[in-house]
Amino acid sequence: MARNQFGGTAADVAEDINGSRVPGAMGTVWDGPGDTANQLTDLTDMNAAAMGQLVADDQGMIPPFMGPEGAELLWVDFGGGRVAITPVDVGSRLKSHVDNLAPDPHGDRAYAEQTFVKLADASWLVTPNGKATGKGVQVPRQWGEFWRPKRDAARAGTGTATIAVIGGSTGVGFYASQLVSKSWPGVLASQLQAVNGDGGSGYVSALFSASGIAGNDSAAINQWTASGGLVAQTGTWSIGGYALGPGWGYLYTSTTGSSMTWTVRGTSVTIYTLGADGNRSPWSYSIDGGADVPVTDSATTGLTVLKTTVTGLPGGTHTVRVKHTGTAGAYLSICGVSAETNSGVVVNNLSKKNGTSAQYVPTGRVEWNGGAAYPADLLIYAVSPQDVIDGVAVDSWASQVRQHLTSVRDGGSSVGATDIVFVLPHIGQADAQGYRHQDFADRTYALANTFEAAVVDFWNLGRNSWNFFNSLGYWGNPSAPGTAGTDAFLLSDAGHSYVAGVLTSLLNS
């Protein structure tokens, strides 16, 4: 413990029994006023030289000295009886403690940082009910009890922290310049991994491809293909009609030699395919242009999600090619590919173009998207504007979301150890016909209370104004993805970056 400073002030006087100053007087120091008190000799001057006892100066004043380690109250005696003397450095020690220049002996600061949101960083307030709130943000007091320990282990290099993202077209990355790296889930992954360790590229759905996206987005598909944001494909592929597994669904081909190629990052790779329903093709995979490794899926009756895992890869980026090697007419169905490392943060983007809440709840899907078959420490449920656009009844929507989250918390052997963040999108102009988004917002906050989930409301953060986001260049451009445009609700690179930045502030808190 440190020594404290005593003496040296106008009040510190050596006095005799008559109350007169005694220049040059010899004084003793004690740890108490009573008969059982102990004399203290472990004293030093201001140059750390041992003193043993006090000597008044030529004016009868007690010079500054340092008391024994840890002493907060001393008693001095110059012949007139013992008089209490207190430290003169209390103010500077208090300032040092407040400024965090001193250690945290009681663990108060460490406890606060582990338990509560860093309000100064996020500019949030704490309400009397214990919620950290700010414009567009609501965080229950105990939120993060599962995510934060996993994140801290990832940061220390001793574990993996896994995030599952559920969303619609914005979650996929419309209209960022590159679906993997510039979508808000991709930017979020990069920002979290920069601080907490790189857990790998995570899951990338086969639907993140030209055939999986399809529709009226030819300019965007060309841009995403050129930028490496899509899964590359050869041959003929179609979206499966019995959508199962992670990321909502799969692509299939019956053409010999058709292939799909992923660019991933990690030391292990898992390929998700569908097992036999009577006419499944053998297939092969190759890593980084190496030899094809043949695979014959199980003859399990019915459509079953199967995993083929390759371990022991060197760290860094790899190409994974999956190819149909059977006879024409036999089907190869691929859900997607994931890649991970042994520690760090991994973000599995399970979003779907034009995704809706109802599409995630059938058996065969719900357990894979953050559920027991593909669990996460943190689920980010981004409310899809498609539900609003399609005129889904808000009661039906809330029931479907609750069913999904119940599977996450209580499906299979799950015991509720998953934190949840609801992301309410800026609805922009997508709701200009029915004006119903506020009903979905209300039910989102109700669901958040039920599941003790955090809410980040970008409609509120965006001042409920399409024009405001437009002034910031946040709306997307279908003709030139990444640049600012005038889309009704889909985002530009700047918009995706903004969404990711707000979420990163919460998840790193």
Side-chain angles (χ1 to χ4, degrees):
M1 299 179 67
R3 294 176 181 267
N4 294 323
Q5 181 182 340
F6 296 83
T9 75
D12 299 316
V13 182
E15 296 179 334
D16 62 17
I17 194 170
N18 297 316
S20 301
R21 293 186 186 183
V22 187
M26 304 286 289
T28 54
V29 181
W30 302 79
D31 63 5
D35 293 338
T36 59
N38 299 305
Q39 184 177 349
L40 304 176
T41 59
D42 182 17
L43 313 174
T44 74
D45 63 19
M46 299 309 293
N47 296 315
M51 295 174 60
Q53 60 185 16
L54 299 182
V55 179
D57 65 15
D58 57 4
Q59 300 295 320
M61 305 299 294
I62 302 174
F65 69 96
M66 304 300 288
E69 289 189 358
E72 294 289 349
L73 180 64
L74 300 178
W75 300 79
V76 297
D77 188 348
F78 284 87
R82 296 176 194 174
V83 178
I85 186 171
T86 58
V88 299
D89 57 357
V90 173
S92 60
R93 284 192 287 140
L94 176 60
K95 184 176 187 301
S96 176
H97 180 76
V98 171
D99 290 346
N100 199 28
L101 300 178
D104 183 24
H106 311 297
D108 298 336
R109 188 179 302 277
Y111 172 80
E113 292 190 350
Q114 292 171 4
T115 306
F116 301 105
V117 174
K118 290 182 180 177
L119 307 177
D121 293 346
S123 299
W124 299 339
L125 304 172
V126 174
T127 62
N129 63 7
K131 291 179 178 176
T133 66
K135 185 177 180 64
V137 177
Q138 174 178 292
V139 185
R141 180 174 181 177
Q142 294 302 321
W143 181 89
E145 61 183 314
F146 311 114
W147 159 250
R148 288 191 177 115
K150 291 297 186 71
R151 178 204 63 193
D152 293 345
R155 185 178 300 175
T158 59
T160 299
T162 302
I163 298 174
V165 177
I166 304 297
S169 295
T170 300
V172 172
F174 287 60
Y175 280 108
S177 60
Q178 215 265 20
L179 292 189
V180 175
S181 62
K182 296 296 186 179
S183 65
W184 66 257
V187 177
L188 175 67
S190 296
Q191 292 177 345
L192 291 175
Q193 289 168 346
V195 175
N196 305 295
D198 185 356
S201 54
Y203 182 80
V204 180
S205 171
L207 296 174
F208 284 31
S209 63
S211 294
I213 291 174
N216 300 317
D217 300 296
S218 57
I221 289 173
N222 290 337
Q223 161 84 23
W224 294 330
T225 300
S227 66
L230 293 182
V231 179
Q233 60 181 74
T234 65
T236 303
W237 294 88
S238 302
I239 298 176
Y242 303 98
L244 302 170
W248 179 83
Y250 61 91
L251 292 185
Y252 72 91
T253 183
S254 59
T255 304
T256 304
S258 291
S259 69
M260 300 196 76
T261 302
W262 284 255
T263 300
V264 297
R265 189 181 68 258
T267 56
S268 69
V269 166
T270 299
I271 303 166
Y272 295 82
T273 58
L274 295 187
D277 63 352
N279 193 23
R280 293 286 129 179
S281 170
W283 55 279
S284 67
Y285 68 84
S286 66
I287 308 292
D288 297 331
D292 286 339
V293 178
V295 179
T296 301
D297 277 337
S298 164
T300 303
T301 301
L303 293 171
T304 304
V305 179
L306 302 175
K307 298 191 294 184
T308 302
T309 300
V310 182
T311 60
L313 299 175
T317 300
H318 304 283
T319 58
V320 180
R321 186 188 67 183
V322 177
K323 184 171 66 174
H324 184 299
T325 58
T327 60
Y331 293 99
L332 168 62
S333 299
I334 308 175
C335 297
V337 171
S338 67
E340 296 187 10
T341 62
N342 293 327
S343 65
V345 172
V346 58
V347 177
N348 296 317
N349 190 355
L350 306 170
S351 302
K352 174 188 177 292
K353 176 190 175 183
N354 297 334
T356 64
S357 58
Q359 292 172 337
Y360 281 94
V361 295
T363 300
R365 302 179 205 173
V366 68
E367 64 267 31
W368 281 96
N369 293 287
Y374 205 11
D377 304 305
L378 172 72
L379 178 77
I380 300 177
Y381 195 102
V383 176
S384 175
Q386 199 65 42
D387 284 296
V388 184
I389 295 168
D390 289 350
V392 175
V394 71
D395 285 347
S396 297
W397 175 85
S399 176
Q400 292 154 359
V401 175
R402 188 260 164 117
Q403 183 178 340
H404 190 158
L405 298 184
T406 297
S407 179
V408 168
R409 284 279 179 87
D410 198 37
S413 59
S414 300
V415 293
T418 301
D419 279 305
I420 297 169
V421 177
F422 281 104
V423 172
L424 274 164
H426 193 318
I427 198 63
Q429 297 173 338
D431 190 29
Q433 298 300 316
Y435 294 97
R436 302 168 58 247
H437 183 62
Q438 71 282 351
D439 297 329
F440 288 79
D442 287 345
R443 297 305 288 271
T444 296
Y445 282 99
L447 286 164
N449 288 333
T450 298
F451 287 95
E452 202 174 24
V455 178
V456 181
D457 186 346
F458 286 96
W459 193 37
N460 189 294
L461 286 165
R463 302 181 184 174
N464 312 108
S465 169
W466 181 93
N467 288 322
F468 175 61
F469 258 32
N470 188 54
S471 71
L472 299 173
Y474 286 174
W475 296 126
N477 184 346
S479 299
T483 64
T486 56
D487 195 86
F489 68 97
L490 297 170
L491 301 171
S492 64
D493 277 355
H496 281 281
S497 179
Y498 171 68
V499 170
V502 176
L503 292 172
T504 297
S505 175
L506 170 62
L507 300 189
N508 273 337
S509 67

